[in-house]
Amino acid sequence: FPRTRFLRPGPLDGNRQEHRAAEKVMLGLLRPLSPLLPAPLRPIHASIVGRAAIAAAFDPAPGVARHEAAELFRMGAEPARR
């Protein structure tokens, strides 16, 4: 493949159809601590990962790129509203 992108978001937050008890407990503990946690441990909403995935898919740079959590938060941030 001329371009390959790996996204490593950390704990995913957002609504799911399936119910995962352990994940619900983990998110309940991590959400209030988010401002104090490093990016890889901060829950990241699925919509942020989705926007970052689209941005990564349209990046024309050749080769392999790994996008870690901190970068995904930046790439997937909502554009400033005017």
Side-chain angles (χ1 to χ4, degrees):
F1 298 101
R3 294 180 305 139
T4 304
R5 305 295 181 249
F6 293 99
L7 279 62
R8 298 174 39 107
L12 288 177
D13 199 352
N15 296 329
R16 295 180 180 253
Q17 289 183 342
E18 63 271 353
H19 299 283
R20 300 176 182 184
E23 191 173 82
K24 188 173 182 175
V25 169
M26 178 193 64
L27 286 172
L29 294 171
L30 292 178
R31 279 184 191 131
L33 299 174
S34 275
L36 306 173
L37 295 173
L41 297 178
R42 256 184 279 150
I44 185 169
H45 200 277
S47 62
I48 294 172
V49 177
R51 285 191 299 272
I54 291 169
F58 284 98
D59 177 5
V64 175
R66 289 172 185 81
H67 301 287
E68 302 292 335
E71 187 176 4
L72 295 176
F73 276 109
R74 285 190 300 274
M75 291 171 64
E78 289 192 46
R81 296 183 187 202
R82 296 176 195 199

